[in-house]
Amino acid sequence: MREYKIAAIPGDGIGPEVISAGLQVLETLAGQDGGFKLGVEHFPWSSDYYLEKGYYIPEGGLERLKQFDAIFFGAVGALNVPDHVSLWGLRLPIAQGFDQYANVRPARVLPGVKSPLANGKDIDWVIIRENSEGEYAGNGGRTHRGLPIETGTETAVFTRAGVERIHRFAFEIAQKRPRKHLTLVTKSNAQRFGMVMWDEIFYEVAKDYPDVKVDRELVDAVTTRMVLKPHTLDVVVATNLHADILSDLAAALSGSLGIAPTANLNPERLFPSMFEPIHGSAFDITGKGVANPIATFWTAAMMLEHLGEKPAAERLMAAIEQITANGVFTPDLGGHATTASVTEAICKVLADQVKKAA
Ligand code: NAD
Ligand code: MN
């Protein structure tokens, strides 16, 4: 029996609600399939933990995490901790410390879900976000604090190695998709150095993938293309900041932030990869039992695929699509379902799949 060690970090806000739903679905799948088992360990690292202890990740925490096959992450961010403290305290040390440089963000409109776009069914994208450097490299500082001449700098850092590896990763993804199309997104008109280097390295790497069609768009222009001509995009590669923004737009255009998944991958598998819904802590709905767990279920499917459990991943995606087609929707999708009822519905579809196959 194949066994995977999963580190669950539910975190803050609706994080614990959706991660517990996600684990329930994963356990159901593992129990049915017979082929694999999950050993799940919970890590209580969160903003409450930080307020009590003074740190998000205890000493040696990353070393412990390193023993796992994958990390299943909820969300971090609380009203009583500044966002830059929570983000840099928990999520970024894991993503950057484990060199999870490829952030994969698929977007499509699931059956039954209503896109705010009339042509929303044309959305079938994968946004590849550089996840280790760029605008979130943590390079910058504050000088003359509190004085009238106070200065703040925020320096984006782009390395040839970092840019080349994300482009190569994006080409590999594009090459495996039916349309084999990759769009490079930068802002190399206004930003003359790092962004121009991004463009140059892209076309160098492109030579190794002659079967992939490429084009290029400035980041501002690509937002209009996403809205007006969604069918013209397939795979998009962009920097840490740009892709962060574009993927929230992609999530909204696909129906809700509550369905969008993401994988933070260390493609070389030197470290565990981390899987999380795109959304944050969602303070406005925390504790109400209405958080949409679908982003987390889709995330779980990406995690299963990464672990090599492709049939289970496909079964889970099929179950997700069946319940969205049936209109089992939480309020963000215009329905009255709860986190628990969506979870039960998915588990029932999974059970029916097994009965049908038997
Ligand atoms: P958010 O994603 O938490 O919420 C934005 C809106 O989307 C809210 O109205 C929320 O109710 C809704 N929403 C989000 N997820 C949903 C779900 N599963 N089901 C139904 N509705 C959902 O973003 P925000 O309000 O900008 O940020 C809140 C906190 O989360 C902040 O502290 C922020 O720093 C943090 N955050 C963390 C992550 C992360 O951990 N990766 C990502 C984004 C934001
Ligand atoms: Mn974001």
Side-chain angles (χ1 to χ4, degrees):
M1 170 98 74
R2 302 177 296 278
E3 183 166 354
Y4 305 105
K5 289 169 68 185
I6 307 295
I9 309 179
D12 296 331
I14 61 169
E17 303 172 30
V18 294
I19 288 299
S20 112
L23 288 172
Q24 194 182 326
V25 165
L26 281 166
E27 293 294 356
T28 302
L29 266 165
Q32 291 169 341
D33 202 40
F36 69 97
K37 246 169 72 178
L38 299 174
V40 180
E41 189 175 329
H42 284 262
F43 290 80
W45 306 342
S46 64
S47 292
D48 282 342
Y49 182 90
Y50 164 77
L51 288 169
E52 187 194 322
K53 311 252 183 191
Y55 45 79
Y56 278 88
I57 303 180
E59 196 152 344
L62 283 185
E63 280 307 307
R64 272 179 65 207
L65 268 193
K66 212 172 152 181
Q67 319 295 320
F68 287 80
D69 295 304
I71 301 161
F72 196 38
F73 188 89
V76 66
L79 289 169
N80 49 3
V81 180
D83 280 344
H84 67 274
V85 173
S86 56
L87 190 67
W88 282 96
L90 185 55
R91 200 185 152 274
L92 287 180
I94 299 172
Q96 297 187 350
F98 287 169
D99 208 18
Q100 295 164 348
Y101 64 82
N103 186 201
V104 180
R105 302 183 157 204
R108 67 192 161 86
V109 180
L110 298 178
V113 172
K114 210 170 149 345
S115 165
L117 293 183
N119 45 359
K121 62 170 187 350
D122 292 340
I123 296 173
D124 185 4
W125 305 326
V126 180
I127 297 176
I128 307 295
R129 168 183 177 186
E130 201 296 319
N131 207 34
S132 72
E133 52 176 37
E135 305 87 346
Y136 301 172
N139 205 301
R142 298 270 294 267
T143 308
H144 308 303
R145 261 185 202 257
L147 299 177
I149 56 168
E150 182 164 1
T151 310
T153 59
E154 197 77 59
T155 308
V157 176
F158 301 103
T159 63
R160 172 167 281 276
V163 175
E164 182 175 341
R165 67 184 182 176
I166 198 65
H167 284 330
R168 211 165 273 290
F169 181 87
F171 273 101
E172 296 283 335
I173 298 280
Q175 199 172 43
K176 291 189 191 93
R177 288 173 53 92
R179 287 186 284 158
K180 298 191 198 305
H181 181 193
L182 178 60
T183 301
L184 163 68
V185 169
T186 53
K187 187 65 188 172
S188 52
N189 54 346
Q191 299 188 297
R192 298 180 286 170
F193 308 110
M195 294 285 80
V196 173
M197 188 177 87
W198 255 72
D199 290 357
E200 285 172 11
I201 296 173
F202 179 85
Y203 288 105
E204 288 169 27
V205 174
K207 291 186 190 132
D208 294 339
Y209 302 87
D211 55 332
V212 175
K213 278 192 295 299
V214 297
D215 63 357
R216 182 170 89 88
E217 201 72 75
L218 295 174
V219 65
D220 43 350
V222 85
T223 58
T224 62
R225 191 163 150 195
M226 287 167 75
V227 172
L228 300 175
K229 295 181 189 162
H231 66 282
T232 66
L233 294 165
D234 178 15
V235 182
V236 170
V237 65
T239 69
N240 214 330
L241 171 67
H242 291 167
D244 187 5
I245 298 167
L246 296 180
S247 53
D248 270 31
L249 174 60
L253 297 177
S254 323
S256 169
L257 204 49
I259 58 175
T262 185
N264 301 277
L265 301 179
N266 173 253
E268 290 77 24
R269 296 177 187 251
L270 299 172
F271 300 96
S273 293
M274 175 161 65
F275 300 82
E276 55 172 348
I278 283 187
H279 64 73
S281 314
F283 312 129
D284 49 337
I285 55 166
T286 299
K288 296 190 173 150
V290 294
N292 191 342
I294 289 188
T296 305
F297 297 158
W298 192 344
T299 295
M302 292 178 86
M303 182 166 81
L304 286 170
E305 187 159 354
H306 179 77
L307 292 170
E309 298 297 336
K310 196 159 188 206
E314 283 171 354
R315 280 187 58 208
L316 178 50
M317 274 321 290
I320 291 170
E321 295 190 9
Q322 187 170 330
I323 71 121
T324 59
N326 290 345
V328 184
F329 291 148
T330 43
D332 56 306
L333 290 174
H336 301 286
T338 60
T339 312
S341 66
V342 175
T343 309
E344 278 158 30
I346 292 267
C347 291
K348 180 161 185 311
V349 173
L350 291 172
D352 290 346
Q353 285 174 353
V354 173
K355 268 189 232 145
K356 236 186 253 163

